[in-house]
Amino acid sequence: MDEKYTNAREHFFAAIRSLAASSDSIQTRLINANANILNVTIDEFDGDRELKFKFAKLLDLLAIDQDDMETVAVETAAHMTDFEAVKVADLICDFYYEIT
């Protein structure tokens, strides 16, 4: 497997496991997934403008306010409708697919 994006792949895979391996609400699973995704930095995608843009968009959906992303991500996910949370979960899975 390509060494590029190794850290991001590890964290996104853990996020996907959080989304898939729980009977909790989709919002709670997304909160757990966020803990892994927020360990990835946008700088990891230097050199790939499209991935950098997609990751930034995903971060915007997870935590609009950039002051304390972890707290904001929890609050944002907790107040999402099921439809919104599923949409974000789909984006997480799609992004993982693109970096593998």
Side-chain angles (χ1 to χ4, degrees):
M1 186 178 278
D2 190 5
E3 293 298 318
K4 200 171 187 181
Y5 313 128
T6 301
N7 182 57
R9 274 197 309 274
E10 288 176 14
H11 288 293
F12 269 83
F13 183 74
I16 290 171
R17 289 182 87 177
S18 295
L19 290 168
S22 173
S23 61
D24 291 333
S25 72
I26 186 67
Q27 291 83 359
T28 301
R29 289 183 278 162
L30 193 55
I31 289 167
N32 293 333
N34 287 346
N36 291 295
I37 292 170
L38 294 178
N39 286 313
V40 178
T41 66
I42 200 161
D43 295 338
E44 292 183 49
F45 305 106
D46 282 346
D48 191 325
R49 191 171 159 197
E50 185 176 340
L51 280 179
K52 206 170 193 179
F53 176 76
K54 287 179 180 181
F55 185 66
K57 179 181 176 184
L58 185 58
L59 288 179
D60 282 345
L61 291 171
L62 295 174
I64 296 166
D65 184 0
Q66 304 297 319
D67 289 337
D68 182 359
M69 284 188 68
E70 209 168 318
T71 301
V72 174
V74 168
E75 292 172 6
T76 301
H79 292 95
M80 285 182 181
T81 65
D82 287 353
F83 179 79
E84 292 168 327
V86 167
K87 180 180 167 185
V88 173
D90 283 342
L91 289 173
I92 291 168
C93 293
D94 290 346
F95 192 81
Y96 177 74
Y97 176 76
E98 288 199 44
I99 62 175
T100 55

